[in-house]
């Protein structure tokens, strides 16, 4: 009996040790599984946190765009009557400018933005472009650069206000640098615009176009003066933005023809209450000299085909009322009128353009003040809708 117990003792001890090892192994596997689950949940929560604003728990892209090097895709369903129906896609990349040590605590500079995009429509119109906006020295220097190529099928309406189809192809370039005057809200600087264009009409040249040239270069340089007190550059709730520009197009700058152009535009946002904002817009353009027909000032309104109302000069006014239903969602209504006049028609004889409609915005990136939404508009004999990033007023 003692011998049998002696012989069995090691086996029993080994069995006990083996049982204890199995228990530890099972506990280890359970702990590993729990850790893996917690890690997966943490990773999921971290990924989800990129799209959730901790301030209100709403869907938001601020952290993704600013801290995770994200790109904001802007798909667009094009319904612009001038070029027809089509699709477009823009990619916007945001970075915040560096703040100097001696900058005031409440100083806010707009984000740097790089954009790449393109579009195509059913009329075989297309375009592609690259833009960059950058600020330095606590928003004391602002740079804007744009380069693009287009192939557009458009209509020229002329004296009889009847559409005549033409094709406009070309490469465009814009370069601008503005410098802040002291610590004021005023900026001043040069702008250069170049457009190497080729135009083709199907048939005879419409009445009202003087000295038509198939290949023309528009190259103009000028001075830009800006005044900016907006609380946000994308979709303001208060403040004023105004811009004056005077340009000369000359052969020495690369232009095929000589002309002068002056433009002035101003936007005012007035907070009527915590939930209501009134926006007012005035836009003017004047030209003199041998300006190409496609480069003339024109009325730009939601619901109105671009370049349909075009002449040597244009005047436009528009108003917009916004109801901030929640801190994220807003509804708006808008309406405006305009006239193009000068060479084809006198001011009193020129037809009046009008457009009105409604829309909505969602604050998709709170830290940037960036909203996205849709506007639906009605104009002379047509309807249109637009995918908007921020304000429709540029």
């Amino acid at each position: 009996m003692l011998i049998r117990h002696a012989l069995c003792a090691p086996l029993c001890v080994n069995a006990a040790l083996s049982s204890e090892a199995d228990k530890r192994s099972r506990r280890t596997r359970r702990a590993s599984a729990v850790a893996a689950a917690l890690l997966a949940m943490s990773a999921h929560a971290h990924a989800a946190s990129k799209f959730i604003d901790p301030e209100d728990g709403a869907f938001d892209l601020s952290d993704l765009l600013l801290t995770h090097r994200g790109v904001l895709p802007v798909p667009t369903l094009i319904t612009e009557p001038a070029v027809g129906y089509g699709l477009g896609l823009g990619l916007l990349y945001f970075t915040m400018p560096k703040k100097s040590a001696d900058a005031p605590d409440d100083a806010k500079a707009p984000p740097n933005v790089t954009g790449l995009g393109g579009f195509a429509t059913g009329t075989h119109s297309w375009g592609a472009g690259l833009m960059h906006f950058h600020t330095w020295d606590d928003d004391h220097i602002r740079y804007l650069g744009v380069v693009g190529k287009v192939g557009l099928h458009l209509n020229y309406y002329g004296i009889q206000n009847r559409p005549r189809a033409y094709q406009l192809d070309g490469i465009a370039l814009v370069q601008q640098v503005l410098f802040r005057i002291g610590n004021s809200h005023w900026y001043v600087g040069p702008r250069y615009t170049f457009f190497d264009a080729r135009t083709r009409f199907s048939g005879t040249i419409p009445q009202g176009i003087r000295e038509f040239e198939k290949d023309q270069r528009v190259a103009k340089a000028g001075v830009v003066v800006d005044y900016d007190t907006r609380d946000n550059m994308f979709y303001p709730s208060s403040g004023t933005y105004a811009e004056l520009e005077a340009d000369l197009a000359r052969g020495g700058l690369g232009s095929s023809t000589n002309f002068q152009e002056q433009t002035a535009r101003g936007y005012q946002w007035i907070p009527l209450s915590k939930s209501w904002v009134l926006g007012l817009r005035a836009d003017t353009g004047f030209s003199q000299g041998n300006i190409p027909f496609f480069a003339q000032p024109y009325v730009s309104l939601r619901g109105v085909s671009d370049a349909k109302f075009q002449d040597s000069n244009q005047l436009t006014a528009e108003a917009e009322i916004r109801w901030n239903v929640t801190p994220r969602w807003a509804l708006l209504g808008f309406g405006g009128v305009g006239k193009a006049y000068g060479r084809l028609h006198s001011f009193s004889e020129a037809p009046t353009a009008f457009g009105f409609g409604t829309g909505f915005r969602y604050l998709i990136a709170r830290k940037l003040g960036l909203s996205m939404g849709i506007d639906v508009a009605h104009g002379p004999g047509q309807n249109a809708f637009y995918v908007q990033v921020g304000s429709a007023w540029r």
Side-chain angles (χ1 to χ4, degrees), residues 97-107 136-140:
K98 294 181 179 179
K99 191 175 181 180
S100 64
D102 56 349
D105 294 336
D106 58 349
W136 292 274
D137 193 19
D138 299 320
D139 199 23
H140 279 73

Side-chain angles (χ1 to χ4, degrees), residues 224-356:
V224 177
V225 179
D226 280 5
Y227 178 77
D228 191 359
T229 64
R230 294 171 295 178
D231 60 345
N232 174 267
M233 70 175 292
F234 297 112
Y235 199 50
S237 295
S238 65
T240 301
Y241 179 78
E243 182 174 87
L244 304 174
E245 180 181 2
D247 292 312
L248 289 176
R250 294 291 185 269
L253 298 170
S255 183
S256 301
T257 60
N258 296 339
F259 64 90
Q260 300 77 242
E261 192 171 12
Q262 307 84 39
T263 61
R265 56 195 175 108
Y267 313 137
Q268 175 78 43
W269 290 270
I270 306 170
L272 303 178
S273 67
K274 185 178 180 180
S275 301
W276 293 89
V277 177
L278 175 64
L280 301 173
R281 170 195 173 210
D283 194 317
T284 66
F286 307 96
S287 65
Q288 308 85 35
N290 190 20
I291 184 171
F293 74 95
F294 57 82
Q296 295 181 113
Y298 63 86
V299 175
S300 178
L301 286 169
R302 284 165 284 185
V304 175
S305 179
D306 276 350
K308 181 175 182 178
F309 299 86
Q310 187 174 24
D311 207 330
S312 299
N313 313 301
Q314 71 87 14
L315 296 174
T316 303
E318 191 177 13
E320 180 179 281
I321 187 72
R322 184 196 318 167
W323 175 33
N324 295 316
V325 183
T326 72
R328 291 277 177 177
W329 290 95
L331 299 176
L332 55 91
F334 54 85
V337 295
K339 277 197 173 191
Y341 64 97
R343 187 167 57 85
L344 301 179
H345 304 280
S346 66
F347 182 83
S348 59
E349 295 175 344
T352 299
F354 67 89
F356 59 89

Side-chain angles (χ1 to χ4, degrees), residues 35-190:
L38 290 175
L39 184 62
M41 292 173 62
S42 175
H44 178 74
H46 178 68
S49 67
K50 297 179 183 179
F51 304 97
I52 299 299
D53 189 342
E55 184 173 284
D56 59 3
F59 176 75
D60 188 275
L61 297 182
S62 297
D63 288 339
L64 176 67
L65 297 176
L66 293 177
T67 62
H68 297 280
R69 305 292 182 179
V71 174
L72 178 65
V74 184
T76 303
L77 182 61
I78 299 172
T79 60
E80 166 55 51
V83 295
Y85 291 91
L87 297 174
L89 177 64
L91 301 176
L92 301 179
Y93 176 75
F94 299 86
T95 59
M96 294 304 294
K98 294 181 179 179
K99 191 175 181 180
S100 64
D102 56 349
D105 294 336
D106 58 349
K108 293 183 179 180
N112 303 322
V113 185
T114 300
L116 174 67
F119 73 90
T121 74
T123 64
H124 303 290
S125 294
W126 63 275
L130 174 68
M131 63 79 62
H132 182 68
F133 174 82
H134 205 101
T135 69
W136 292 274
D137 193 19
D138 299 320
D139 199 23
H140 279 73
I141 302 175
R142 292 182 173 183
Y143 165 79
L144 174 65
V146 181
V147 61
K149 183 174 176 60
V150 296
L152 305 177
H153 291 262
L154 302 169
N155 286 313
Y156 177 75
Y157 289 83
I159 296 176
Q160 298 177 338
N161 199 29
R162 294 179 181 176
R164 286 289 307 277
Y166 74 96
Q167 186 172 344
L168 176 64
D169 302 288
I171 298 175
L173 172 73
V174 177
Q175 294 291 300
Q176 173 183 291
V177 181
L178 300 181
F179 302 89
R180 177 180 282 189
I181 301 176
N183 290 318
S184 71
H185 297 292
W186 291 92
Y187 296 81
V188 63

